[in-house]
């Protein structure tokens, strides 16, 4: 109960005081406590087993994460301490990105607490990679020194892939620097159509026969993505896109189209390109994590449109009525996605409940 009350209290402070640095740091520390001392979730056992017996994961765990475990575990550092250090690194990278890109930093953090923070707590290895990806967005969205920033973004994505291979797919977001919105839609549609045509059993078997890989393919087809998992991932993807689209449209309803910032245009293109994961869902529903990874970016984009009450960091956020509507809409957006991904299925028992009732520090 302490974790729930504390989180509500800090979230309210973040909403009321949009840019107060002390509250931002307090909120980050609170998130670190929730993450670093979490237990009993879906991946808790496998994370600890992988750490304590890291030699057994050689060759099947990404090189960067394997090396990290080897250094810490080989030095005799207990898993609990390792998890606390990793949580600090992850939240530092995420927090610095919010400070860099967001105007109303505390509001973004309050929304992140609701969704998708609970998933980040569970997915320790992926969250480490994702935090590097999130940090790299500052270079992707900076239109100055395009070549330099593109190189830095690509390097960071490659580094992230050393901790979780799925992260490498973010490198295709470099296309936002060269494609218009119209061309982005066109390219995404082609990739989805071609991908869906290729990633089905009949097409895959035809290709496998041509390159002598039928046996390997049959092994994969013996454990395909279930229809239920595929349908759930599709629902999540379009719910995510629709809620972002609706909230974003509301946030700019009084802004002429020609005045929309380059930052906003880039984020819109990123959301469109994220739809290219649809064909890959037949291989593994985990590809939807790529879209979850841009949740923070969407929060930043929308909250940057909140009406200004004062330039002072202690100013109360909720004075303009539009801001009240916007905050409510953003919370609805976050809750819908939280419900589809976590609360509406078995994840509520393995992801959500352990976060609030199994913290080893706040028992």
């Amino acid at each position: 109960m302490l974790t729930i009350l504390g989180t509500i209290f800090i979230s309210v402070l973040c909403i009321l005081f949009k840019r107060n640095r002390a509250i931002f740091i307090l909120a980050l520390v609170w998130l670190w406590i929730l993450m670093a001392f979490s237990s009993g979730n879906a991946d808790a056992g496998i994370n600890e087993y992988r750490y304590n017996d890291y030699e057994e994961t050689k060759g099947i765990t990404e090189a960067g994460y394997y090396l990290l475990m080897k250094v810490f575990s080989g030095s005799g550092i207990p898993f609990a301490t390792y998890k606390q250090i990793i949580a600090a690194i992850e939240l530092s990278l995420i927090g610095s990105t919010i400070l860099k890109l967001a105007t109303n930093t505390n509001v973004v953090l309050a929304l992140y607490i609701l969704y998708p923070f609970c998933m980040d707590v569970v997915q320790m290895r992926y969250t480490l990679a994702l935090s590097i990806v999130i940090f790299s967005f500052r270079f992707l969205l900076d239109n100055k020194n395009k070549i330099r920033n593109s190189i830095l973004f690509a390097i960071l994505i490659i580094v992230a892939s050393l901790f979780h291979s799925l992260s490498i797919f973010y490198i295709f977001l470099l296309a936002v620097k060269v494609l218009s919105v119209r061309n982005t839609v066109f390219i995404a549609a082609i990739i989805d159509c071609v991908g869906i045509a290729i990633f089905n059993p009949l097409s895959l078997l035809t290709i496998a026969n041509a390159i002598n890989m039928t046996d390997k393919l049959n092994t994969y087809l013996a454990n395909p993505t279930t229809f239920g998992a595929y349908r759930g991932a599709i629902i999540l993807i379009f719910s995510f896109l629709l809620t972002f689209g609706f909230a974003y449209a509301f946030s700019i309803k009084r802004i002429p189209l020609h005045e929309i910032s380059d930052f906003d245009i880039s984020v819109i293109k990123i959301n469109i390109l994220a739809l290219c994961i649809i064909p890959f869902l037949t291989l593994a529903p985990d590809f939807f994590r790529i879209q979850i990874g841009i949740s923070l970016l969407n929060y930043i984009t929308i909250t940057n449109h909140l009406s200004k009450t004062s330039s002072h960091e202690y100013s109360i956020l909720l004075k303009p009525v539009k801001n009240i509507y916007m905050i409510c809409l953003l919370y609805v957006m976050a809750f819908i996605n939280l419900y589809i991904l976590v609360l509406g299925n078995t994840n509520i028992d393995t992801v959500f409940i352990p976060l609030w009732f199994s913290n080893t520090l706040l028992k």
Side-chain angles (χ1 to χ4, degrees), residues 125-264:
R125 180 167 57 98
Y126 181 71
T127 302
L128 180 57
L130 180 61
S131 64
I132 299 171
V133 172
I134 290 171
F135 183 84
S136 75
F137 284 150
R138 67 188 65 204
F139 302 110
L140 180 66
L141 296 169
D142 188 347
N143 287 324
K144 300 175 182 177
N145 299 316
K146 284 189 177 181
I147 296 177
R148 169 186 170 274
N149 286 328
S150 296
I151 292 172
L152 289 173
F153 174 76
I155 290 172
L156 285 169
I157 296 301
I158 292 170
V159 171
S161 70
L162 295 176
F163 297 95
H164 199 292
S165 56
L166 191 63
S167 304
I168 197 63
F169 283 85
Y170 283 103
I171 205 164
F172 294 107
L173 295 183
L174 276 172
V176 305
K177 287 189 171 292
V178 295
L179 294 177
S180 65
V181 173
R182 179 180 297 180
N183 287 338
T184 302
V185 173
F186 180 70
I187 294 296
I190 289 178
I191 291 174
D192 281 339
C193 291
V194 173
I196 290 171
I198 292 175
F199 291 113
N200 65 76
L202 180 59
S203 297
L204 289 175
L205 282 171
T206 302
I207 295 170
N209 284 330
I211 59 177
N212 264 340
M213 293 186 64
T214 307
D215 291 339
K216 288 186 178 180
L217 181 64
N218 284 331
T219 300
Y220 154 70
L221 291 176
N223 296 287
T225 299
T226 64
F227 176 74
Y230 183 79
R231 181 185 59 187
I234 291 293
I235 291 173
L236 178 65
I237 286 170
F238 283 99
S239 166
F240 181 90
L241 189 66
L242 289 173
T243 52
F244 164 69
F246 186 75
Y248 180 77
F250 180 83
S251 74
I252 62 165
K253 65 179 183 178
R254 290 188 174 90
I255 301 176
L257 289 179
H258 66 274
E259 292 183 11
I260 295 176
S261 68
D262 291 339
F263 182 96
D264 285 19

Side-chain angles (χ1 to χ4, degrees), residues 321-340:
V321 174
K322 178 188 173 183
N323 286 356
I324 299 176
Y325 293 150
M326 180 66 69
I327 293 296
C328 291
L329 182 59
L330 283 166
Y331 263 98
V332 170
M333 165 187 166
F335 182 80
I336 288 173
N337 290 300
L338 177 68
Y339 180 83
I340 293 173

Side-chain angles (χ1 to χ4, degrees), residues 2 19 94 103 155 168 171 187 213 280 301 305 309 322:
L2 178 60
R19 293 191 301 271
I94 291 170
T103 302
I155 290 172
I168 197 63
I171 205 164
I187 294 296
M213 293 186 64
F280 298 98
T301 305
H305 295 148
T309 54
K322 178 188 173 183

Side-chain angles (χ1 to χ4, degrees), residues 255-306:
I255 301 176
L257 289 179
H258 66 274
E259 292 183 11
I260 295 176
S261 68
D262 291 339
F263 182 96
D264 285 19
I265 295 296
S266 293
V267 173
I268 290 170
K269 289 188 285 187
I270 286 171
N271 278 271
I272 295 170
L273 285 174
L275 293 175
C276 294
I277 65 175
I278 290 175
F280 298 98
L281 295 174
T282 58
L283 299 178
D286 285 353
F287 275 93
F288 74 81
R289 293 181 184 180
I290 290 175
Q291 195 178 47
I292 295 174
I294 61 177
S295 298
L296 200 70
L297 203 52
N298 289 344
Y299 292 152
I300 290 170
T301 305
I302 296 172
T303 57
N304 282 351
H305 295 148
L306 289 169

Side-chain angles (χ1 to χ4, degrees), residues 87-98:
I89 294 171
E90 293 168 351
L91 290 172
S92 296
L93 291 172
I94 291 170
S96 70
T97 302
I98 294 174

